[in-house]
Amino acid sequence: AEHNLTSAISPFLDRHLVLHLLDFLAQNEVFSKDDLLNAKSSLLANTGLVDLQTENYKALGQDPSEDHETRQKKVSENLTTLESKCSTLLAWIKDNTEELEKLKNEKNFDVSAFEKDHKINPGEMEALHRYAKAQYESGAYSDASANLSTYLLFVSFEDIPRKEILSASWGKLSIEIMAKNWDLAAVEITKLKELIDSGKFGKPVDQLQQRAWLLHWSLFVYFKGEKPINEFVELCFQPSYLNALQTTSPHLLRYLTIAVITNTEKRRTSEVEDLVRVLQQEQSNYQDPITNFLKCLFVEFDFDTAQQKVQACSEVLSQDYFLQDKQEAFTESARLFIFETYCRIHQRIDIQMLADKLAMKDNEQAELWIVNLIRNAKLDAKIDLASGQVIMGTKSMSVYEQVLDKTKNLHFQSNQLASFLLQE
């Protein structure tokens, strides 16, 4: 558990999301069972998940405390009270689902007139938000999602942004993650990013914190879901988010490194170069076998140590909630990295030596792997079976490819600069 990041990641997550991490650690016996159950008990004590807390007490062999029973009653009473404070609005929502759906396409909608026409008491909108939040805290995620969506729909017509919009949006994202609705969660990430980058909610230091949270919450979507990993890479490399990563959470470099290494189809050379530069800048703040693998390969060109790091990475990945199923993809991509880097500085490569460096069992396995790699990656190389060598061709990047690689980020950077200027 030397390189386990649960304690570093948890402060940036909602308590409900941290439960996933604790359950994973328990299933994989990374820490002692009692320690994890006690940690879970402390976490649940600050939520409305009273039934889950009761189960946790049983797992610990303890009887629920009097405070727990009192809290169970308070959670139920609080839900009833909050529901009554927005009862008129909830009744209208229940009876007017079609009209509510039409509102999604409206551009001009007078919320005050709506409240007056339907005799909805002032403050019921905010009461709906508080009720949805209480539902979420108690684990009623589906009901909370519906009410938060309705709340966000109504307040979207207001000219003055409310801080509650940001809170409700975080709630929506958490709910979609808990329900594993990855497509909807990706949509919520985009919406949250727009809200944060708008500069309308808080000072620059608040934006920095919000961006750090968004990077952590997006781990669920891009590593546990099936969303394209290159989207996480692009998010991390945006200047404001890279600043948040380096300033508040350099441990996220593990996930950025994995994303860049395994993103074989859409990876750009400049991304690897940028990542290596950041890893060198942050090596005093964070490093592990995964980040050290890239440093050995692209800074020190130490292929033997790089291969040793690949083997050491397996244990790290197996104990990481977000990366446990990335071991095979990482090992294969790491081999590809070693092979490509070695090929850049050698024209002839002995297959037996290559098999040793790639931790392959024999020449035949190495030959088959290299043949498939040459075919799939369209490398300018051939195998000389007589000499048992790989012979690399000489191919330089065309001027067009060089220009394309150098200027790929100009469009985004121009838009980013324009948005900063508009905020001033």
Side-chain angles (χ1 to χ4, degrees), residues 373-392:
L373 177 63
I374 291 172
R375 183 187 298 119
N376 297 332
K378 299 179 181 179
L379 294 174
D380 185 11
K382 61 182 180 180
I383 295 178
D384 185 344
L385 294 176
S387 62
Q389 292 182 329
V390 179
I391 302 174
M392 301 301 300

Side-chain angles (χ1 to χ4, degrees), residues 80-305:
T80 302
T81 300
L82 289 173
E83 182 180 15
S84 67
K85 289 183 178 180
C86 54
S87 56
T88 308
L89 179 57
L90 287 171
W92 184 90
I93 292 170
K94 183 179 180 181
D95 296 335
N96 295 273
T97 53
E98 291 184 6
E99 191 171 341
L100 191 64
E101 193 66 26
K102 290 178 183 178
L103 281 180
K104 295 179 181 179
N105 299 318
E106 287 282 345
K107 292 185 178 179
N108 297 309
F109 179 73
D110 191 332
V111 178
S112 298
F114 165 79
E115 291 176 330
K116 184 177 180 181
D117 292 343
H118 296 282
K119 298 180 180 179
I120 294 172
N121 300 323
E124 285 206 32
M125 289 291 181
E126 287 313 308
L128 180 65
H129 175 236
R130 292 195 298 274
Y131 179 49
K133 186 175 181 180
Q135 287 177 314
Y136 170 79
E137 286 296 332
S138 65
Y141 301 121
S142 180
D143 292 337
S145 178
N147 287 328
L148 282 176
S149 296
T150 303
Y151 171 77
L152 287 169
L153 176 62
F154 280 121
V155 297
S156 67
F157 295 106
E158 298 181 354
D159 295 328
I160 303 173
R162 307 187 188 194
K163 64 179 182 180
E164 288 81 8
I165 294 176
L166 201 59
S167 171
S169 297
W170 281 111
K172 273 287 291 175
L173 174 55
S174 184
I175 288 168
E176 303 306 348
I177 291 173
M178 297 293 288
K180 298 183 179 180
N181 295 326
W182 304 122
D183 289 336
L184 293 176
V187 170
E188 293 303 325
I189 284 178
T190 302
K191 289 179 180 178
L192 260 171
K193 183 178 179 299
E194 291 173 356
L195 288 173
I196 295 167
D197 293 345
S198 70
K200 296 177 181 178
F201 302 91
K203 300 176 182 178
V205 68
D206 298 317
Q207 282 183 294
L208 182 73
Q209 188 67 53
Q210 296 280 339
R211 287 179 178 128
W213 289 346
L214 189 63
L215 287 171
H216 284 82
W217 290 39
S218 68
L219 294 176
F220 289 92
V221 178
Y222 296 114
F223 288 92
K224 300 304 289 184
E226 299 179 353
K227 305 308 293 179
I229 199 67
N230 64 292
E231 293 181 9
F232 178 75
V233 175
E234 291 172 2
L235 177 64
C236 288
F237 276 128
Q238 292 182 22
S240 55
Y241 287 84
L242 184 59
N243 177 48
L245 186 154
Q246 291 184 264
T247 304
T248 67
S249 28
H251 52 268
L252 288 179
L253 287 171
R254 171 186 294 184
Y255 304 99
L256 179 55
T257 301
I258 290 290
V260 169
I261 290 175
T262 58
N263 185 31
T264 53
E265 293 184 5
K266 297 185 178 181
R267 183 176 63 240
R268 293 187 286 252
T269 303
S270 59
E271 289 176 349
V272 179
E273 294 171 350
D274 291 343
L275 176 57
V276 171
R277 173 180 52 79
V278 174
L279 291 178
Q280 287 182 280
Q281 291 173 352
E282 297 299 326
Q283 63 182 348
S284 61
N285 295 320
Y286 181 78
Q287 56 181 308
D288 62 22
I290 297 167
T291 60
N292 285 336
F293 164 73
L294 274 193
K295 188 180 74 171
C296 290
L297 197 57
F298 290 101
V299 179
E300 300 168 359
F301 293 98
D302 186 343
F303 297 96
D304 292 332
T305 305

